[in-house]
Amino acid sequence: MRWALVKVSLAVTAMVVIAFAVPLGLVVREMARDRAFSHAERQAAAVAPALAITADRAQLQRAVASTQAGAQGHLSVHIPAPDGGQPLEIGERRAPADARTGGRATTVGVEGGYVLLQPTAVDSGEIAVVEVFVPDAEVTRGVTTAWFVLGGVGLALIVGSVAIADRLGTRLVRPAEHLAAAARDLGEGKLGTRVPEHGPAELRSAAIAFNSMADQVVALLANERELAADLSHRLRTPLTVLRLNAASLGGGDAADQTRAAVAQLEGEVDQIIRTAREQKPQSPGAGASAGCDAAEVVRERMAFWSALAEDEDRRARVAGTDRPVRVPVARADLAAALDAMLGNVFRHTPQGTAFSVDLHHGEDAVIVLVSDAGPGIPDPAAALRRGHGDGGPGSTGLGLDIVRRLAESTGGDVRIGHSVLGGTEVRVWLALGPVTPARRSPAARRRPRRKAAA
């Protein structure tokens, strides 16, 4: 907007300067020309009294020499002979011999300038012609200087208008930049961002509306956190009953697994309540700066799910966890994403279906592949949409969305395809550097998949 205002001001001022400077320059040139010829007419009129009283050459020569033009050799007198004889010539003739005055002053162009032919009556009754030479330099005297002055004034007007437009544009643009910066900060989760309410009336109204919207967003998030905490707290009562019933199951692997699952569920509910009660909500990927060891998390979660896999006669395989693999995500978030993917395997594939978890560590990314030998997903794109799920019993449509948001918090993504086991393969790309999906080319997206399949 600032540069647009400057360009508009430049164009308008330039047109105004041209509209006035060009005609004014032409007027200055005409004024200089009129001044030169008016002076020549005065010089011609200065010898008219002498011509009216005498035709003597010596006296006329003295009269011509007494004028400024005559002293410079620019004035001459031509008197025709009364009897048609030799005319009287005083001074140098520059005009053509056939030039006619027609009884009035005439201007004739000659080499180096112009000649003013002024007819004047003499005492003998004849009409003499006074010739005054006007050089080109006299006709254009002062014109160049006047044009330079006009050009300088016009340039100064243009520069001044551009400077004023720039200052005015700054006053308009700065509040708009503050508003745009505040919108970016609010989009990044900085809920305390507000816009200074200054500038033009329209931008002040926009700043007031933005601040009001930000306050409403904060209030809505606070209400949502309280609602999440309240809903989670309602689970405490049935969890308590479930924990008491699990404690009465006695011994055995199944009882121990049930009690461990109840304890984990109770811990997750407590974590949800604590997180929802925080004053400042965490943005996706918060706490990921410390990172975690993906190999350790995969081994831990596979140890948890392997017991259930053994009960359902599922063959499970783990690869790539023999050495530490650091990823820029929180341990709890990665564990939740793995549980979501493995839970989908147990929930949506028949008993006895084999599955595997592969961990691949590249230079710029870590790839987590969860594969199964089940029937596959009919619509992989729809399965990644939040709340869609696969339409099966007990599906909320949130599991793969949790995985997607975890991957995107690092600049990665999630892809669903066909696995080498014949079923579904969920590939999770966790970027290790400042790489975003928008900046990664399709070829770069395909490279880790080929590496993972190798």
Side-chain angles (χ1 to χ4, degrees):
M1 181 186 295
R2 176 181 175 184
W3 290 113
L5 291 175
V6 170
K7 291 177 182 178
V8 169
S9 176
L10 176 63
V12 171
T13 308
M15 287 189 294
V16 171
V17 168
I18 292 173
F20 282 92
V22 172
L24 192 57
L26 297 177
V27 169
V28 168
R29 187 179 66 179
E30 290 300 321
M31 290 176 61
R33 179 185 179 91
D34 293 343
R35 182 183 65 243
F37 285 106
S38 297
H39 180 70
E41 290 176 358
R42 289 194 299 270
Q43 295 294 310
V47 299
L51 291 172
I53 61 177
T54 183
D56 181 67
R57 174 182 290 274
Q59 293 182 7
L60 290 177
Q61 287 179 342
R62 285 195 298 270
V64 169
S66 65
T67 63
Q68 180 181 358
Q72 295 175 350
H74 293 167
L75 190 149
S76 60
V77 178
H78 312 290
I79 304 174
D83 53 359
Q86 184 69 23
L88 177 61
E89 300 282 349
I90 299 174
E92 180 184 359
R93 175 187 288 271
R94 288 184 172 85
D98 57 350
R100 297 290 184 267
T101 63
R104 56 191 177 87
T106 304
T107 302
V108 179
V110 296
E111 183 179 357
Y114 300 88
V115 169
L116 173 67
L117 301 177
Q118 179 67 51
T120 305
V122 298
D123 60 347
S124 62
E126 298 293 332
I127 301 299
V129 177
V130 179
E131 179 183 306
V132 182
F133 175 66
V134 182
D136 287 332
E138 188 69 22
V139 174
T140 59
R141 178 182 298 177
V143 174
T144 304
T145 303
W147 283 1
F148 273 114
V149 172
L150 288 175
V153 172
L155 183 61
L157 288 175
I158 292 175
V159 173
S161 67
V162 168
I164 294 174
D166 181 70
R167 299 311 303 166
L168 293 176
T170 301
R171 292 184 57 189
L172 293 175
V173 170
R174 190 166 296 162
E177 291 176 346
H178 291 165
L179 183 60
R184 287 194 298 269
D185 292 342
L186 186 64
E188 293 174 357
K190 301 176 182 178
L191 300 181
T193 301
R194 296 297 182 271
V195 182
E197 299 173 1
H198 60 76
E202 294 80 3
L203 291 178
R204 285 201 304 270
S205 299
I208 293 172
F210 178 87
N211 293 337
S212 176
M213 179 195 68
D215 294 337
Q216 292 180 6
V217 168
V218 172
L220 289 174
L221 288 177
N223 293 335
E224 189 173 322
R225 291 197 304 272
E226 292 297 329
L227 178 61
D230 293 342
L231 293 176
S232 301
H233 194 272
R234 294 179 187 179
L235 298 176
R236 300 294 292 273
T237 299
L239 275 176
T240 301
V241 176
L242 185 59
R243 180 166 52 82
L244 294 176
N245 291 338
S248 62
L249 291 178
D253 293 339
D256 293 339
Q257 292 174 7
T258 302
R259 284 190 286 269
V262 171
Q264 182 183 3
L265 180 59
E266 190 171 12
E268 293 291 342
V269 171
D270 291 341
Q271 179 63 30
I272 292 174
I273 295 175
R274 286 193 299 270
T275 302
R277 292 293 185 183
E278 290 180 357
Q279 292 297 322
K280 183 178 180 181
Q282 294 184 354
S283 59
S289 57
C292 67
D293 183 0
E296 182 181 354
V297 175
V298 171
R299 289 195 302 268
E300 177 185 322
R301 301 320 300 159
M302 284 298 293
F304 173 82
W305 289 98
S306 61
L308 183 58
E310 184 177 352
D311 292 341
E312 295 188 357
D313 195 24
R314 296 176 182 267
R315 184 168 55 87
R317 181 181 64 84
V318 183
T321 61
D322 52 341
R323 60 189 181 93
V325 179
R326 300 292 300 181
V327 291
V329 296
R331 181 187 184 90
D333 293 341
L334 181 58
L338 285 171
D339 287 342
M341 291 186 288
L342 294 174
N344 285 341
V345 173
F346 282 86
R347 188 178 298 112
H348 302 299
T349 60
Q351 292 190 13
T353 301
F355 67 96
S356 65
V357 178
D358 298 274
L359 190 64
H360 299 269
H361 188 192
E363 295 181 359
D364 59 351
V366 171
I367 310 297
V368 181
L369 295 176
V370 177
S371 309
D372 63 62
I377 298 178
D379 191 351
L384 290 174
R385 291 201 295 267
R386 182 176 179 83
H388 184 276
D390 61 355
S395 176
T396 63
L398 300 180
L400 289 178
D401 184 71
I402 293 174
V403 179
R404 179 185 60 80
R405 287 190 290 115
L406 175 72
E408 291 180 352
S409 69
T410 68
D413 61 9
V414 176
R415 295 292 181 88
I416 298 178
H418 295 287
S419 70
V420 294
L421 299 179
T424 302
E425 176 189 89
V426 180
R427 187 216 66 175
V428 183
W429 170 301
L430 301 176
L432 300 180
V435 181
T436 60
R439 291 166 52 191
R440 217 170 38 241
S441 64
R445 289 173 180 264
R446 291 192 294 270
R447 281 197 299 269
R449 185 174 182 86
R450 290 197 299 266
K451 180 178 179 180

